Structure formats: C-alpha cells, structure tokens
Amino acid sequence: MVSRIHLERKLHLSSRKEVRTHFGLFEKQEENLPPTGDNDVKVQVRACALSWIDTKLLSEIKLEKELLPVGREISGVVLEVGRKVTFFQPDDEVVGILPLDSEESGLCEVILVHEHYLVHKPEKVCWVEAAGTVRDGVRAYTALHYLSQVSPGKTVLIMDGASPFGTIAIQLAQHRGAKVISTAYSLEDKQHLERLRPPVEGVRQPLVARVIDVSNGKIDVAESCLEETGGLGVDIVLDAGVKLYSAEDESTSKSQLLPHKHDIITLLGVGGHWITTEKNLQLDPPDSHSLFLKGATVSFLNDEIWNLSNVQQGKYLSILEDIMEKLSSSIFRPQLDEPIPLYEAKVSMEIVQKHQARKRQVIQF
C-alpha cells in the first residue's frame, strides 16, 4: 500500500486570493512502482534535501496540483535500469534533482527517474552532502557562470553569504579567482563568514575579503563596497532580495535589512552584472538610465530553467558533474543541518516553507 502524509498550509498567492495547498510526503514501497521505462532508472533513495516549493511558479506554468510532492534533490543507489539506459547500471551511486513535473517524491524509499536527471556520485561524497549541495550548486553556477561569467580579478558582492546558497556561491566565486564581499544579517552569520577558509592546507586567507554586517541597519552597503573597491564599484552583485519601496512601506524585519535597488545600482561598477532573485523587480526610468550609463546588465536568477527545457540538457548534466567534483575535492563545503529522520520530515518541511531554516534540511534514510 502507498501511504501519504499531508502537510496542509494556507498560502497567500496574491492580495485577493488565498488558497489551501497540500504538500505530499510519500512513502512508496518498491512493489507499488510502475514497470521501469526504457529510459528510467530505479533508485533506492538514501538522502533527500527539502527545498521551498514555489507554488506561484507552478501555477503560472500550469503544473500546480492538489497534492505537491515534497523533496526533489535526491541521492541513492541504482537498483535497476531501463533497456535504453546507457549511463548507469545497477549498484551505481547517483545524485540528481527531480523535474518540476515529477509525480514522484524524493521521500519515497524507491523511485523511478529518467536517466537525464541523474549523474554519478563520487564515492568519497556522503549521501547527505550530495543531496544537500546539488540545488545550491546549480543556482550558484547559473548565477556566476552562465549569467555573469565570474573570472579572476572580478569583485563579487554576495548578499546573505551565510545562507546555504550564499556559502556555495562564495566558494565558487573565490575558486574562480574573484574577490568576494558579503553581507551578514546577524553576528552569528558574520562569524561564520569570517571563518570560511580555502580547502588548501596551510592557507589562512579568508574566502571573504570583507564582511558587511547589516544587522543593526546602520551600515551603508553601497558606501562600504565603493570604499572596498576604491570607488570603482563591484563587477557582479548577487542579491538575496531587494527593498523595492521606501522603509515605511516594508513590513517584515528581514525586508528592513535588504538593500534598496538604488543602492545596488550605485555600487555596481561599469560593465557590471546584477543577478537578482527578486522576481517582481521594478526599475523606474532613472534606474534604467543609470544602468545604461554604466553599460550594466540585470539578470533574473531562476535555476528551474534547466528543468523547463531539454535544449541545454548537456550543459545541465555538466553542471551537476562539476558540483560533485568540487564537493569531492572539498572546494564546496555546504551549510547543512544535522541529518533528519523521515518521521520528522513534516515539521522540517513546514520550517523550510516558512523560510525559517538557516541551514539546508536533509532527510536521511
């Protein structure tokens, strides 16, 4: 039998519409699976990371359904392969991200996955690290490699660098030879960023050249960045959200810590790249004119683009393989919470969906 545990949450998708959405935590036994397709890989899941579910995006691309599977980043062992599968064989250790339209939950004991969504997991990388790093790695590569071409000599500002995504982005930027500046939202975040070091033994130089503590609201991020760069500005900005309106219009305490869009434009250097996670970013004509004068670009970070089209499947798999290689060589050292047992998945998913988790939550089987 297939048992389902529902997480029922009310989510406000707009000011006028309130919907009730179910997040499904599935537990499937192997005998409940359909026959293995020609291009399918049957995987015994060993670890599954929990990530925030963007119900609005799913609705916009017509993928919203009454029950949304939870857990898409998985690592595990291959049990069986379809007759046309060429990259894997039984007993291989694999890792990957289930597609947006997947009917499977990564919290199943055994799942079927198309071979083009998986890569081999290095033997020295543990299950939890593989599943807990793959999504943040894809986001970091999308932002810093494909959207901004980070390279030696560049200066990169990474907002909220102590977050799981921010930490991987810092490590990738520094590995590519860039100088990294980061913001911290608390004293604990500041101390974490100052402790980050390269994996090379004997090298004590921190990964982050300057940590800007914005927790008290008194530090001007733009002024600090211009000071650090001798007035030239930074080459790449990777934000964690921006303040779109004046201070009195922003309601939450976290939004008070975000930089205003004008500050980001001010600190951006000539020919710079602004990579934003703010899907509702609005630029007024003066903002656009400032960006025009600098020859700067604005790009939107949506790491789901790799799964929305098969056109660049080869590049996507190369990214996954490179993430695993960097994890194996300790270039990537993820921000992971302690492994979580399956029976605590419901509580953990509620925390993730409320954006209250400061470390990546991973379920271990």
Side-chain angles (χ1 to χ4, degrees), residues 174-189:
Q174 198 276 340
H175 177 71
R176 292 288 181 86
K179 175 182 178 180
V180 180
I181 304 171
S182 184
T183 59
Y185 288 164
S186 67
L187 177 60
E188 183 180 350
D189 288 353

Side-chain angles (χ1 to χ4, degrees), residues 174-175 197-203 207 326 329-333:
Q174 198 276 340
H175 177 71
R197 295 290 187 276
V200 182
E201 190 174 342
V203 177
L207 291 184
K326 285 180 169 50
S329 59
S330 297
I331 292 170
F332 284 167
R333 285 151 292 149

Side-chain angles (χ1 to χ4, degrees), residues 29 32 41 78 146 169 187 222 226 300 322:
Q29 302 302 323
N32 299 119
V41 178
V78 175
Y146 287 99
L187 177 60
L226 291 172
F300 291 87
D322 209 39

Side-chain angles (χ1 to χ4, degrees), residues 1-176:
M1 297 293 293
V2 180
S3 63
R4 295 182 178 182
I5 308 169
H6 293 174
L7 284 179
E8 189 175 273
R9 306 299 302 166
K10 285 184 178 179
L11 296 178
H12 298 268
L13 297 190
S14 70
S15 58
R16 295 184 179 180
K17 181 181 177 184
E18 179 182 84
V19 299
R20 189 182 298 271
T21 303
H22 298 274
F23 299 111
L25 303 184
F26 297 75
E27 296 176 60
K28 270 189 186 176
Q29 302 302 323
E30 187 172 350
E31 59 266 23
N32 299 119
L33 287 175
T36 304
D38 288 347
N39 297 105
D40 287 342
V41 178
K42 184 183 287 186
V43 179
Q44 181 179 16
V45 180
R46 295 295 183 85
C48 173
L50 301 178
S51 296
W52 181 74
I53 297 176
D54 190 342
T55 55
K56 187 171 183 180
L57 173 64
L58 292 174
S59 177
E60 289 172 344
I61 61 177
K62 311 302 182 185
L63 288 178
E64 188 179 36
K65 37 190 178 282
E66 184 180 356
L67 194 66
L68 299 175
V70 166
R72 292 171 51 209
E73 303 89 75
I74 58 105
S75 61
V77 179
V78 175
L79 298 177
E80 182 185 334
V81 299
R83 64 186 184 90
K84 292 185 179 179
V85 172
T86 56
F87 296 116
F88 305 102
Q89 57 188 10
D91 297 325
D92 281 352
E93 298 182 351
V94 296
V95 60
I97 302 176
L98 302 183
L100 269 175
D101 60 354
S102 174
E103 297 291 336
E104 305 276 359
S105 164
L107 295 175
C108 301
E109 292 181 2
V110 179
I111 61 175
L112 290 175
V113 189
H114 193 287
E115 68 169 331
H116 290 164
Y117 295 110
L118 297 170
V119 296
H120 289 93
K121 179 187 77 67
E123 186 176 348
K124 65 184 293 187
V125 175
C126 73
W127 304 111
V128 171
E129 284 190 344
T133 307
V134 63
R135 176 171 292 279
D136 292 321
V138 169
R139 295 194 79 204
Y141 266 83
T142 305
L144 296 176
H145 181 75
Y146 287 99
L147 296 180
S148 58
Q149 295 82 47
V150 66
S151 58
K154 300 286 188 181
T155 302
V156 182
L157 170 63
I158 297 175
M159 304 289 191
D160 192 17
S163 66
F165 167 55
T167 298
I168 295 297
I170 287 171
Q171 292 163 356
L172 177 60
Q174 198 276 340
H175 177 71
R176 292 288 181 86

